[in-house]
Amino acid sequence: MATTSTKGLQRVALVAGASRGIGADTAKAFARAGHAVVLGARDVDALNHVVGEIEASGGQAVAAKTDVGDVYSMRALVQLAVDSFGRLDAAFNNATDGPMPAPLADIDPDAFDLGIRTNIRGTFLGMKYEIPAMLSGGGGAIVNMASVAGVRAMTNLAAYVAGKAGIVALTETAALDYADRGVRINVVAPGPILTHHLERAGAEAQRMAAASVPMGRVGTTEEVADAVLWLCSDQSSFITGATVPIDGGQLAGHKPPQMYRQGEGMAPT
C-alpha cells in the first residue's frame, strides 16, 4: 500500500481517464490510501459521481473535464492539482480511445489518428506537465497505462497496439530522462480485465477472455489499481522504466488446455 505522507504533507495523486472502470477504481484506491485526488476525463457527470463517492468516504477530490490530447486541457488539470492541494506526488495516465477492432486496411484514418492522439500524445502531454510539478515538490512517481497488446501484437487492433507500444517506449525514455532527478516512471500492461466494457460484452465474451489467460480467469479493476498504487509507493522506490504485466501469465507464453505426448496422444496440461 502506498504511503500517505511526504515530510508530514498529504500526498496528491492525479488520474487522467478517471470517469469509470480502472481509472475510477484507482482514484478511489488512492483516496483510501490517504491521497488527495485530482480526476480528469471527458464525462463530467461520471467524474462528479466518482468525486462524490470519494468525499462520502471521507476523502478529498476535485475533478475537471479533460481532453488529454489537448495541451491547454492537460496543463490545466495538472495546475488544478497544484492550485488545490499545493503539490503533485503521483499520476496515473489512463485515458484511451480509438477505432473498433478491424483489419488494418479497413480502419478509417481519422479513427486511427484518434487512437494515436489519445494514447501516445495524451500520455506525452500528461508526463510533460506532471514531471515539472513533481520536480518542484521534490519528486514523484508516474504510471502509464499500456496493455499486453503493447508488448505483443493482437490481430484487428492496429491503432490500439501501435498506441500502447508507443506508451511503453515513451515510458522507458522518460524514465531514463528523470531517473536521477527523483521522478520514477513505469507502465502497467493489463490483460483481460473485467471492466464495464467486458461486462457489457456478455458472458460468452468473458468466458473466452478467461480461456486466453493461463490462470483461467480475467483480472479485476481492483487488481490493476493495487499495482498502480504499489508503483507509486515507496515500496517500489528502486523501480523505474519497467513494464509490469497484470495479465494472469499471458505474456509468459501459451498454456493450451491439452498437449500432444508422443505415443500417448493428447493429454491435459
Side-chain angles (χ1 to χ4, degrees):
M1 186 59 66
T3 55
T4 59
S5 64
T6 301
K7 297 180 180 179
L9 297 175
Q10 181 182 38
R11 285 191 173 182
V12 179
L14 181 153
V15 180
S19 58
R20 54 182 57 84
I22 292 170
D25 283 348
T26 302
K28 288 183 278 188
F30 271 123
R32 287 194 298 272
H35 292 67
V37 188
V38 179
L39 294 78
R42 292 168 297 184
D43 188 336
V44 175
D45 290 339
L47 280 178
N48 288 336
H49 179 73
V50 179
V51 169
E53 289 183 301
I54 291 172
E55 292 179 338
S57 298
Q60 292 180 278
V62 295
K65 183 174 183 177
T66 305
D67 174 2
V68 298
D70 179 78
V71 169
Y72 302 102
S73 185
M74 197 62 227
R75 183 168 58 193
L77 183 65
V78 174
Q79 191 61 46
L80 177 63
V82 175
D83 290 345
S84 299
F85 303 113
R87 59 189 296 116
L88 180 63
D89 301 285
F92 180 36
N93 295 308
N94 175 64
T96 190
D97 205 345
M100 295 294 288
L104 186 146
D106 295 340
I107 296 174
D108 179 78
D110 290 338
F112 181 86
D113 288 346
L114 176 62
I116 299 303
R117 180 183 186 275
T118 307
N119 285 290
I120 297 181
R121 179 180 170 87
T123 301
F124 163 75
L125 289 177
M127 291 192 291
K128 176 176 175 60
Y129 297 112
E130 292 155 3
I131 289 168
M134 291 178 180
L135 289 173
S136 68
I142 297 171
V143 177
N144 296 321
M145 172 61 90
S147 164
V148 293
V151 180
R152 182 173 296 163
M154 296 183 182
T155 186
N156 288 334
L157 294 175
Y160 188 76
V161 168
K164 295 304 186 182
I167 289 172
V168 172
L170 276 175
T171 299
E172 292 172 347
T173 303
L176 293 173
D177 288 345
Y178 296 94
D180 57 354
R181 299 183 64 186
V183 177
R184 296 184 301 106
I185 307 167
N186 294 289
V187 59
V188 290
I193 303 296
L194 189 59
T195 64
H196 57 289
H197 296 297
L198 187 53
E199 287 177 344
R200 284 203 301 259
E204 180 60 15
Q206 294 166 30
R207 185 195 68 77
M208 293 177 65
S212 73
V213 178
M215 288 181 69
R217 68 172 178 87
V218 297
T220 68
T221 56
E222 291 82 7
E223 287 172 316
V224 179
D226 286 345
V228 173
L229 261 68
W230 178 72
L231 287 169
C232 289
S233 78
D234 294 337
Q235 294 175 357
S236 62
S237 58
F238 200 53
I239 299 174
T240 195
T243 299
V244 179
I246 311 168
D247 65 350
Q250 274 192 327
L251 287 178
H254 182 50
K255 187 181 189 299
Q258 293 182 312
M259 293 186 71
Y260 174 71
R261 293 182 180 176
Q262 189 173 3
E264 298 181 11
M266 300 300 290
T269 55

